[in-house]
């Protein structure tokens, strides 16, 4: 790897990190020795890249730093295009439009050879939605509540048509080809629950906010469901939950 490419990659690693990254960790990912990383950090700091930290503690990139436009390699292009194609195919209308706009922006700024790679990568399309699949009418409001950390009051209907009203903390979504699941904390149950988005018949954001602990609650939700091998995380129609809510068999 050229040194210029390595310097840019260090910035990218620091940008995506949620905690200080040590020189050893950087060296391992970039396949160099830590001494090389120390020199690279000094070079970046001398170029006024706002990297803070010190040897033994790790490095962080101050928020607000913008890189100039970067070129994508073939693997990155495939990942970007396939991910956006999946959202366009399986997301709600608002999210699909956002994916289309994002892809158009990428195509507008890349050089011709990269644009050609993007056109080739479009061959990596996801399997289309099954006939009759519906994600419901409230996905945009749910996504907004997730972003804002806002509680939701939902009117929910199970597979038998029985209604219930819940106050939930929406933590995240699972977008499968046949169903979208809402991972949430339910105030009625006092525990984690998963709800099928198309069975949400009413949805009202509340003034109250919740603290998802910077993603820690969603991680706990996933860990609980994985430990119980619940079918909610299996993206197959035969494993799709049919009751009003899904929870692992855990003590309260």
């Amino acid at each position: 790897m050229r040194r210029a490419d390595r310097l840019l990659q260090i910035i990218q690693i620091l940008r995506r990190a949620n905690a200080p990254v040590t020189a050893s960790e950087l060296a391992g990912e970039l396949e160099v020795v830590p001494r090389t990383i120390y020199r690279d950090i000094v070079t970046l700091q001398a170029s006024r890249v706002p990297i803070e930290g010190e040897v033994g503690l790790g490095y962080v990139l101050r928020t607000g730093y913008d890189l100039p436009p970067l070129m994508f390699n073939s693997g990155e292009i495939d990942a970007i295009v396939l991910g956006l194609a999946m959202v366009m195919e399986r997301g709600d209308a608002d999210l699909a439009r956002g994916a289309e706009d994002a892809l158009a922006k990428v195509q507008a700024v890349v050089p011709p050879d990269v644009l050609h790679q993007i056109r080739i990568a479009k061959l990596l399309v996801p399997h289309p939605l099954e006939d009759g699949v519906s994600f419901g009418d409230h996905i945009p409001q749910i996504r907004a509540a997730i972003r804002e950390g806002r509680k939701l009051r939902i009117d929910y209907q199970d597979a038998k048509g029985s209604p219930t009203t819940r106050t939930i903390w929406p933590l995240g979504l699972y977008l499968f080809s046949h169903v979208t699941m809402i991972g949430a904390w339910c105030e009625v149950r006092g525990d984690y629950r998963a709800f099928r988005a198309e069975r949400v018949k009413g949805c009202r954001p509340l003034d109250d906010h919740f603290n998802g602990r910077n993603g820690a609650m969603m991680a706990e939700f996933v860990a609980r469901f994985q430990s119980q091998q619940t079918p909610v995380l299996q993206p197959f129609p035969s494993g799709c939950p049919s009751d009003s809510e899904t929870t692992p068999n855990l003590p309260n």
Side-chain angles (χ1 to χ4, degrees):
M1 179 186 294
R2 295 182 310 161
R3 186 168 192 246
D5 294 333
R6 190 175 65 247
L7 293 175
L8 289 175
Q9 191 60 30
I10 288 173
I11 296 174
Q12 289 293 85
I13 294 171
L14 295 178
R15 291 184 76 180
R16 70 171 186 248
N18 295 320
V21 183
T22 66
S24 295
E25 291 170 334
L26 289 167
E29 182 165 345
L30 298 174
E31 299 181 346
V32 295
V33 298
R35 182 176 299 177
T36 299
I37 298 298
Y38 298 144
R39 290 198 298 263
D40 289 343
I41 292 293
V42 171
T43 299
L44 289 168
Q45 291 173 331
S47 300
R48 298 187 178 180
V49 177
I51 295 175
E52 298 177 347
E54 58 185 82
V55 176
L57 297 179
Y59 300 97
V60 296
L61 182 68
R62 278 208 313 267
T63 57
Y65 177 71
D66 291 324
L67 277 172
L70 300 178
M71 293 300 98
F72 303 109
N73 61 37
S74 57
E76 293 167 339
I77 290 173
D78 286 350
I80 291 170
V81 175
L82 179 58
L84 291 173
M86 292 178 68
V87 173
M88 284 185 270
E89 176 63 35
R90 300 174 181 178
D92 61 273
D94 183 57
L95 200 60
R97 283 194 299 270
E100 291 176 359
D101 291 343
L103 184 57
K105 288 180 179 179
V106 172
Q107 291 175 314
V109 299
V110 297
D113 59 328
V114 178
L115 183 60
H116 176 67
Q117 292 182 49
I118 290 177
R119 289 170 178 158
I120 294 174
K122 286 183 179 180
L123 298 175
L124 301 171
V125 296
H127 189 277
L129 288 176
E130 300 170 18
D131 293 338
V133 169
S134 171
F135 295 148
D137 300 325
H138 302 287
I139 291 291
Q141 296 99 309
I142 295 168
R143 286 195 292 106
I146 293 170
R147 287 195 305 269
E148 298 169 5
R150 187 182 297 273
K151 296 182 182 181
L152 288 175
R153 181 73 52 79
I154 62 171
D155 298 319
Y156 195 74
Q157 191 174 73
D158 66 15
K160 297 179 181 179
S162 301
T164 183
T165 299
R166 305 288 181 91
T167 297
I168 65 171
W169 305 5
L171 304 173
L173 295 174
Y174 293 106
L175 277 67
F176 298 141
S177 63
H178 62 292
V179 66
T180 291
M181 305 297 297
I182 308 165
W185 176 270
C186 177
E187 291 192 351
V188 171
R189 301 299 188 192
D191 205 348
Y192 294 107
R193 290 294 189 271
F195 300 90
R196 292 182 56 146
E198 83 276 11
R199 293 181 183 160
V200 176
K201 304 306 178 183
C203 179
R204 182 168 65 89
L206 303 179
D207 293 333
D208 295 337
H209 289 74
F210 65 89
N211 180 8
R213 304 201 309 275
N214 197 28
M217 288 191 69
M218 188 60 181
E220 291 172 2
F221 170 88
V222 173
R224 287 200 183 189
F225 276 75
Q226 286 178 334
S227 67
Q228 296 294 325
Q229 297 181 333
T230 176
V232 69
L233 296 181
Q234 299 174 5
F236 302 103
S238 60
C240 187
S242 59
D243 16 79
S244 63
E245 56 188 280
T246 302
T247 182
N249 185 20
L250 296 174
N252 291 326

PDB file of all heavy atoms in Angstrom, residues 98-109:
ATOM      1  N   GLY A  98     -34.402   7.874  -0.955  1.00  0.00           N
ATOM      2  CA  GLY A  98     -33.111   8.308  -0.414  1.00  0.00           C
ATOM      3  C   GLY A  98     -31.967   7.505  -1.000  1.00  0.00           C
ATOM      4  O   GLY A  98     -30.902   8.047  -1.309  1.00  0.00           O
ATOM      5  N   ALA A  99     -32.169   6.192  -1.175  1.00  0.00           N
ATOM      6  CA  ALA A  99     -31.136   5.352  -1.767  1.00  0.00           C
ATOM      7  C   ALA A  99     -30.891   5.716  -3.224  1.00  0.00           C
ATOM      8  O   ALA A  99     -29.749   5.755  -3.691  1.00  0.00           O
ATOM      9  CB  ALA A  99     -31.533   3.878  -1.649  1.00  0.00           C
ATOM     10  N   GLU A 100     -31.958   5.974  -3.958  1.00  0.00           N
ATOM     11  CA  GLU A 100     -31.818   6.384  -5.356  1.00  0.00           C
ATOM     12  C   GLU A 100     -31.047   7.700  -5.465  1.00  0.00           C
ATOM     13  O   GLU A 100     -30.166   7.852  -6.327  1.00  0.00           O
ATOM     14  CB  GLU A 100     -33.196   6.520  -6.003  1.00  0.00           C
ATOM     15  CG  GLU A 100     -33.932   5.206  -6.197  1.00  0.00           C
ATOM     16  CD  GLU A 100     -35.326   5.414  -6.752  1.00  0.00           C
ATOM     17  OE1 GLU A 100     -35.702   6.592  -6.965  1.00  0.00           O
ATOM     18  OE2 GLU A 100     -36.029   4.413  -6.976  1.00  0.00           O
ATOM     19  N   ASP A 101     -31.376   8.656  -4.591  1.00  0.00           N
ATOM     20  CA  ASP A 101     -30.685   9.947  -4.619  1.00  0.00           C
ATOM     21  C   ASP A 101     -29.211   9.784  -4.251  1.00  0.00           C
ATOM     22  O   ASP A 101     -28.337  10.427  -4.845  1.00  0.00           O
ATOM     23  CB  ASP A 101     -31.355  10.922  -3.643  1.00  0.00           C
ATOM     24  CG  ASP A 101     -32.744  11.347  -4.110  1.00  0.00           C
ATOM     25  OD1 ASP A 101     -33.052  11.154  -5.298  1.00  0.00           O
ATOM     26  OD2 ASP A 101     -33.512  11.860  -3.269  1.00  0.00           O
ATOM     27  N   ALA A 102     -28.930   8.921  -3.263  1.00  0.00           N
ATOM     28  CA  ALA A 102     -27.538   8.707  -2.860  1.00  0.00           C
ATOM     29  C   ALA A 102     -26.725   8.103  -3.994  1.00  0.00           C
ATOM     30  O   ALA A 102     -25.591   8.523  -4.250  1.00  0.00           O
ATOM     31  CB  ALA A 102     -27.486   7.791  -1.626  1.00  0.00           C
ATOM     32  N   LEU A 103     -27.288   7.124  -4.689  1.00  0.00           N
ATOM     33  CA  LEU A 103     -26.573   6.516  -5.807  1.00  0.00           C
ATOM     34  C   LEU A 103     -26.358   7.519  -6.926  1.00  0.00           C
ATOM     35  O   LEU A 103     -25.289   7.547  -7.555  1.00  0.00           O
ATOM     36  CB  LEU A 103     -27.347   5.300  -6.323  1.00  0.00           C
ATOM     37  CG  LEU A 103     -26.668   4.501  -7.437  1.00  0.00           C
ATOM     38  CD1 LEU A 103     -25.287   4.022  -7.006  1.00  0.00           C
ATOM     39  CD2 LEU A 103     -27.529   3.314  -7.843  1.00  0.00           C
ATOM     40  N   ALA A 104     -27.345   8.363  -7.181  1.00  0.00           N
ATOM     41  CA  ALA A 104     -27.194   9.387  -8.214  1.00  0.00           C
ATOM     42  C   ALA A 104     -26.077  10.364  -7.860  1.00  0.00           C
ATOM     43  O   ALA A 104     -25.308  10.785  -8.739  1.00  0.00           O
ATOM     44  CB  ALA A 104     -28.511  10.136  -8.405  1.00  0.00           C
ATOM     45  N   LYS A 105     -25.952  10.719  -6.575  1.00  0.00           N
ATOM     46  CA  LYS A 105     -24.888  11.634  -6.158  1.00  0.00           C
ATOM     47  C   LYS A 105     -23.516  10.988  -6.346  1.00  0.00           C
ATOM     48  O   LYS A 105     -22.560  11.652  -6.778  1.00  0.00           O
ATOM     49  CB  LYS A 105     -25.093  12.041  -4.704  1.00  0.00           C
ATOM     50  CG  LYS A 105     -26.268  12.984  -4.485  1.00  0.00           C
ATOM     51  CD  LYS A 105     -26.420  13.343  -3.017  1.00  0.00           C
ATOM     52  CE  LYS A 105     -27.577  14.299  -2.801  1.00  0.00           C
ATOM     53  NZ  LYS A 105     -27.764  14.656  -1.372  1.00  0.00           N
ATOM     54  N   VAL A 106     -23.412   9.711  -6.003  1.00  0.00           N
ATOM     55  CA  VAL A 106     -22.139   9.015  -6.206  1.00  0.00           C
ATOM     56  C   VAL A 106     -21.778   8.985  -7.680  1.00  0.00           C
ATOM     57  O   VAL A 106     -20.638   9.270  -8.073  1.00  0.00           O
ATOM     58  CB  VAL A 106     -22.215   7.587  -5.628  1.00  0.00           C
ATOM     59  CG1 VAL A 106     -20.968   6.792  -5.998  1.00  0.00           C
ATOM     60  CG2 VAL A 106     -22.364   7.628  -4.109  1.00  0.00           C
ATOM     61  N   GLN A 107     -22.748   8.658  -8.525  1.00  0.00           N
ATOM     62  CA  GLN A 107     -22.485   8.572  -9.963  1.00  0.00           C
ATOM     63  C   GLN A 107     -22.096   9.922 -10.561  1.00  0.00           C
ATOM     64  O   GLN A 107     -21.357   9.973 -11.542  1.00  0.00           O
ATOM     65  CB  GLN A 107     -23.717   8.026 -10.682  1.00  0.00           C
ATOM     66  CG  GLN A 107     -24.006   6.566 -10.373  1.00  0.00           C
ATOM     67  CD  GLN A 107     -25.310   6.090 -10.997  1.00  0.00           C
ATOM     68  OE1 GLN A 107     -26.330   6.772 -10.913  1.00  0.00           O
ATOM     69  NE2 GLN A 107     -25.287   4.928 -11.608  1.00  0.00           N
ATOM     70  N   ALA A 108     -22.580  11.008  -9.951  1.00  0.00           N
ATOM     71  CA  ALA A 108     -22.327  12.337 -10.503  1.00  0.00           C
ATOM     72  C   ALA A 108     -20.913  12.833 -10.256  1.00  0.00           C
ATOM     73  O   ALA A 108     -20.435  13.724 -10.965  1.00  0.00           O
ATOM     74  CB  ALA A 108     -23.335  13.334  -9.939  1.00  0.00           C
ATOM     75  N   VAL A 109     -20.221  12.264  -9.256  1.00  0.00           N
ATOM     76  CA  VAL A 109     -18.924  12.829  -8.879  1.00  0.00           C
ATOM     77  C   VAL A 109     -17.741  11.916  -9.187  1.00  0.00           C
ATOM     78  O   VAL A 109     -16.601  12.356  -9.073  1.00  0.00           O
ATOM     79  CB  VAL A 109     -18.901  13.186  -7.373  1.00  0.00           C
ATOM     80  CG1 VAL A 109     -19.956  14.224  -7.049  1.00  0.00           C
ATOM     81  CG2 VAL A 109     -19.100  11.948  -6.506  1.00  0.00           C
TER      82      VAL A 109
END
